[in-house]
Every structure is written in structure tokens, then in C-alpha cells.
Amino acid sequence: QVQLVESGGGLVQPGGSLRLSCAASGFTLDYYAIGWFRQAPGKEREGVSCISSSDGSTYYADSVKGRFTISRDNAKNTVYLQMNSLKPEDTAVYYCAAGLLATIFPTEYDYWGQGTQVTVSS
């Protein structure tokens, strides 16, 4: 069964850090681009970052550039999103997704996780 499972979310104070994990089962992440998306209440799903399968090139939305880092560990079949200097506006459910093209457009992704809640609040 093809599955993506996110973990690592939680409650953190502004300025704090979290590392999200996206673990795959039932398929090998090596051949897929991985995207991280987030959705806050009442807002559309937003592309945060993505990493290609071929050369590991990465992309970040302007809102997270310089604060978030995406990486992949193919040996562990896992992709990470390191989030530093978190702000209240980063509060959302974060999703990872796998597809053939590294893009911030969610329609390009085939497999999705269930999401993990990130809350940034004092």
C-alpha cells in the first residue's frame, strides 16, 4: 500500500524550530519529487517547498525562504522540512506529497500524506 506519513508537528513559540518528516512506505521515494504544502483555516493549500528526484534541486516560497530547509534521505525513504525562526503565520496543517515533477502546484502530485499540525503561538 502506497503511503506517506508526516510527523514532527506540534506547538512551538515564535522564533522556535521544528523538523517535519515525511516517511514513505509501499514505494521508493528516490524516483519522486517531494513537495511540502500547508493549509491554514479558511485559506487555500499553499506550496512551501519542493525537492527534485534527479539532482536534488530545491525551491522555496518567498514566505519561508531563508528559514525552511528541505532535504531527503533516500536510504531512510524520508524527506524532511527543517523549519526555523517560526512565525505565527506559519501555523497550518503541513502536508507532504510525491509526484514526478518538482513544483509548488498541488495538482501535479500523485500521493499525499494526512498532514501534521504546526501551531506557532506564545
Side-chain angles (χ1 to χ4, degrees):
Q1 180 181 1
V2 173
Q3 194 172 14
L4 289 172
V5 178
E6 303 94 338
S7 62
L11 173 64
V12 64
Q13 292 186 342
S17 298
L18 286 173
R19 188 177 79 158
L20 304 184
S21 299
C22 172
S25 60
F27 69 108
T28 302
L29 278 182
D30 300 33
Y31 305 112
Y32 288 86
I34 303 298
W36 281 99
F37 296 82
R38 67 186 181 186
Q39 189 164 19
K43 294 189 176 181
E44 292 187 354
R45 192 165 295 191
E46 172 192 17
V48 173
S49 181
C50 58
I51 186 167
S52 72
S53 61
S54 55
D55 60 3
S57 58
T58 58
Y59 168 86
Y60 299 94
D62 287 343
S63 57
V64 307
K65 199 171 295 182
R67 300 188 298 121
F68 290 12
T69 303
I70 190 171
S71 61
R72 62 194 306 157
D73 185 338
N74 288 339
K76 294 184 177 180
N77 220 25
T78 300
V79 172
Y80 304 98
L81 185 68
Q82 178 67 43
M83 307 188 296
N84 299 328
S85 303
L86 283 162
K87 304 175 181 180
E89 51 263 43
D90 295 317
T91 295
V93 177
Y94 283 71
Y95 302 87
C96 66
L100 297 181
L101 182 65
T103 172
I104 60 166
F105 297 104
T107 55
E108 296 293 332
Y109 289 85
D110 302 311
Y111 306 114
W112 288 82
Q114 293 301 305
T116 185
Q117 176 71 46
V118 171
T119 303
V120 185
S121 175
S122 54

